[in-house]
Amino acid sequence: MLPAPIEFPAMNVELKTGELFGSLWHRLTDEQYRESVQLFRRRFEANGFDLGWFAGKSCLDAGTGSGRYAVAMAMHGATVVGCDISDAGLETARARAAAVPGLTFRKGSVLALPFADRSFDFVCCAGVLHHTPSIETGLAEIARVLKPGGRVFLLLYGFGGLRWRLIQALRPLADELGYDAIDAAIARAGLPANNRKHFLDDLFVPILTLVRKTELDAWMVAAGFSDATYWSKEKTFDHESSIPAQIEDMEKLRRIFDSGDGPLFALGANVASVFLDAAQRADRTLVIGEGNHRVIATKSIRTM
Ligand SMILES: C[S@@+](CC[C@H](N)C(=O)[O-])C[C@H]1O[C@@H](n2cnc3c(N)ncnc32)[C@H](O)[C@@H]1O
């Protein structure tokens, strides 16, 4: 049964989020896109997931963005639907994935998925729920569309970490200065295309929730998931678990604010300098915080 369309009080938040991400995907070059499809394979393999499992499975990529993970699952033999609230994002994904068999895209929110109960063997939901007004609603929706015994892969931002604290301090300044001014400052700072997306996401996405593992564990159980297995933070192959990379990111944030004119840009640059100074003297826990949570869990056979 399909859920009745729901009107969240914050529905315009979803639209704003979709517009922001939709406008940013085209900034990834073809090379960066291909690399991110490869990264999916490397991460799943490194964490002991047999990619042969995908053959013949029915999969959903909820909040598919550019479609990179939907493409990766389809390339391993799954029938995949990529779903997103962003029209512009879906257009980019459709264009990029046109030649991939077994892959379709559909507009819809992870908070009210446009699919019948028990439709999928696997749901990938990477980097999405922490941008929605209700992580719990999203998890319940994912559980609803999974078959009993089906699996979910989640990526959620972890709680804490000085880079995130700096982002949280800079977001009100970015909001005052406006998207175009920050975008122009990023361009003046000379950062590469994927950096622009990364910083504009973090500075402007309407909702950015940092999730404690203990909370996530409780939400997954409440949604009917069991056997949660967290992936190793050492096998992520990217910057989030590396102190030098976190510090480099903070330096880039300082460069961005240094590249703009006026007191708010100067304030941002000063704030970034203070955080950088602290990060250079802090231990790993303080710099990284909990780090991104990547977790696979199974929908209990007994639920729904
Ligand atoms: C950080 S991107 C991640 C995209 C993709 N999963 C990946 O890892 O490449 C977040 C995506 O979630 C989408 N999104 C945000 N809120 C959503 C919602 N309520 N329902 C569906 N998609 C949503 C955005 O439009 C965006 O494409």
Side-chain angles (χ1 to χ4, degrees), residues 8-116:
F8 274 86
M11 193 56 117
N12 62 341
V13 166
E14 290 199 87
L15 292 178
K16 270 178 86 175
T17 306
E19 277 167 23
L20 173 77
F21 283 111
S23 70
L24 292 172
W25 283 121
H26 69 275
R27 293 193 196 282
L28 283 187
T29 63
D30 287 348
E31 178 63 18
Q32 286 160 347
Y33 185 77
R34 271 195 298 276
E35 275 170 15
S36 57
V37 172
Q38 291 303 322
L39 196 54
F40 177 94
R41 181 181 57 74
R42 283 180 68 204
R43 285 196 179 125
F44 271 65
E45 279 177 351
N47 287 280
F49 192 103
D50 172 15
L51 289 164
W53 181 88
F54 281 111
K57 294 292 194 303
S58 168
C59 300
L60 170 67
D61 187 20
T64 193
S66 66
R68 57 187 178 164
Y69 294 157
V71 168
M73 290 188 282
M75 280 165 50
H76 289 97
T79 302
V80 186
V81 186
C83 170
D84 205 287
I85 39 163
S86 163
D87 286 314
L90 285 170
E91 203 178 305
T92 310
R94 284 192 180 104
R96 291 213 189 251
V100 181
L103 174 55
T104 50
F105 292 97
R106 179 154 176 190
K107 184 166 178 173
S109 171
V110 68
L111 302 181
L113 287 165
F115 305 103

Side-chain angles (χ1 to χ4, degrees), residues 232-289:
S232 157
K233 309 263 183 210
E234 275 68 56
K235 293 181 183 161
T236 62
F237 309 115
D238 64 17
H239 72 289
E240 80 222 18
S241 55
S242 143
I243 292 182
Q246 293 286 307
I247 288 179
E248 188 186 330
D249 242 28
M250 293 165 81
E251 269 163 357
K252 285 178 178 168
L253 283 160
R254 181 175 60 185
R255 263 169 63 194
I256 293 168
F257 279 82
D258 250 344
S259 303
D261 287 328
L264 288 182
F265 273 113
L267 176 58
N270 282 336
V271 170
S273 294
V274 172
F275 272 77
L276 254 174
D277 186 45
Q280 272 146 356
R281 287 176 292 115
D283 66 9
R284 182 173 182 85
T285 314
L286 199 55
V287 177
I288 311 266

